[in-house]
Amino acid sequence: MALIVQKFGGSSVANAERVMNVASIVADTYNAGNSVVVVVSAQGDTTDDLLDKANEINPKHSKRELDMLLSAGEQISIALLAMALEKLGCPVISLLGWQAGFNTNKNYTTARIKKIDTERVSSELDNKKIVVVAGFQGINKYDDITTLGRGGSDTSAVALAAALHADKCQIFTDVEGVYTTDPRKVPNAKKLQEITYDEMLELATLGAQVLNNRSVEMAKKYHVELEVLSSLKRVPGTIVKEATTLEKMLIRGVTKDSHVARVSVIALPDTPGIAFKLFSKLAAKNINVDIILQSVGRDGTKDITFTVDKDNAEHAKSAVLEAFPNMTDENFVIDSDIAKISVVGAGMETHPGTASQMFEALFEAGINIQMISTSEIKISVLVDAKDADKAVHAVHNEFFSED
Ligand code: ADP
Ligand code: ASP
Ligand code: MG
């Protein structure tokens, strides 16, 4: 007998039929003699709908009240799934995040899990109950409900699996596993049997929505082996695990991230300490910077260009203006019509031609590269938003075409 944590995303519980389908997967696992903890997300587009409702009433709502609202989505799902399991004759109990012991830091809407008190869940399991837990939520030191950020139910599931020392953590979703790129956008994307934590972390951070990046970080830290699989088709999925037993692949996947903006700061003084002044200001404002490019100094000035999350572009400009009060609008060019296309694979570390192969594919597709950044296991390029899908296809074809 094993202890298994199963997580089901929003589309897997979108309507009554889907909820019954999930219940039958859970019941089969339980009836096979396992202890089962289930983590669920809000149904379908519920979280987006709740956000719209909040903005309709008051776009300047407080984050505390937003968390109170958004957490209701998962509350609906746990109760419905528990009722579905009752219908199948299974002993079951649903628990909200705080009832399941999820303690978070105080940050509303982007809370981080600090610890999970597992007593309640463990005692329900001891009583042979299936425990259905609301994902994406916890409680902070003020006894207020918090949420973990979009896609946070994956993190709830992995954290619970780690805290309970579960034998398995299965992430059920609406595709059959992790693919070489988004299978909904690129029909010849291939399902991966296995992927390392590090590669999955890069893919998730660079735009592959299938797993939330914090969940992968946590899985790696606590050695929780994950399986990503379909809730609709009972076939093996993708295993996410340590690198040791995994064959290195040159490229494991291709991603697109459209949530980026490029900020150019023009005609900064070409003197020492300028980059330090600029980026320390951004850091102090908690603005995450990704790709950085500095031009060669000329006539006493230089330009610095960097990318940030789209939502942070204007904050970044204000921060730079604080650091350099003599600058004006003329010194800035902000472009939000861009996308970051990346290839990820541990094999590229020992294979020098990968970057040029990617650039050639983009050249042949007539796509201009604006910026480039690389690490040991990834190469990212910035392109015009209008070219983004074409770029994903071209790069994916280059590395994964049949012939
Ligand atoms: P859930 O509601 O189950 O959490 P998500 O919508 O968050 O599901 O994530 C699943 C989606 O991720 C898929 O429908 C797919 O379109 C998208 N996706 C993006 N990149 C990938 C990838 N490399 N492999 C699999 N799915 C991907
Ligand atoms: N319901 C939340 C969201 O839509 C959490 C999740 O689905 O993981 O972001
Ligand atoms: Mg998700």
Side-chain angles (χ1 to χ4, degrees), residues 220-238:
K220 179 180 170 169
K221 185 167 171 194
Y222 295 103
H223 310 285
V224 178
E225 194 168 296
L226 302 178
E227 183 180 10
V228 179
L229 68 174
S230 166
S231 62
L232 299 167
K233 211 167 155 189
R234 297 201 189 189
V235 291
T238 303

Side-chain angles (χ1 to χ4, degrees), residues 363-383:
F363 163 64
E364 278 172 0
I367 295 166
N368 187 38
I369 300 173
Q370 301 183 10
M371 287 170 95
I372 299 169
S373 94
T374 63
S375 80
E376 279 157 5
I377 67 164
K378 72 132 209 252
I379 304 161
S380 297
V381 297
L382 217 60
V383 300

Side-chain angles (χ1 to χ4, degrees), residues 60-79:
K60 296 206 162 106
H61 52 253
S62 65
K63 289 183 172 180
R64 181 193 184 277
E65 297 312 327
L66 186 64
D67 277 355
M68 189 59 98
L69 182 71
L70 295 189
S71 63
E74 272 68 16
Q75 179 161 358
I76 295 171
S77 297
I78 54 168

Side-chain angles (χ1 to χ4, degrees), residues 7 9-10 41-42 44 47-48 70 74 135-136 149-154:
K7 180 259 170 179
S41 298
T47 309
D48 289 327
L70 295 189
E74 272 68 16
F136 176 57
R150 298 305 305 269
S153 296
D154 295 334

Side-chain angles (χ1 to χ4, degrees), residues 7 9-11 172-175 177-179 181-184 208-210:
K7 180 259 170 179
S11 50
F172 289 85
T173 184
D174 56 1
V175 290
V178 180
Y179 283 70
T181 193
D182 189 339
R184 296 193 185 283
Q209 197 193 342
V210 63

Side-chain angles (χ1 to χ4, degrees), residues 39-53:
V39 174
V40 271
S41 298
Q43 292 186 284
D45 296 327
T46 302
T47 309
D48 289 327
D49 294 344
L50 291 171
L51 264 170
D52 289 346
K53 279 184 204 289

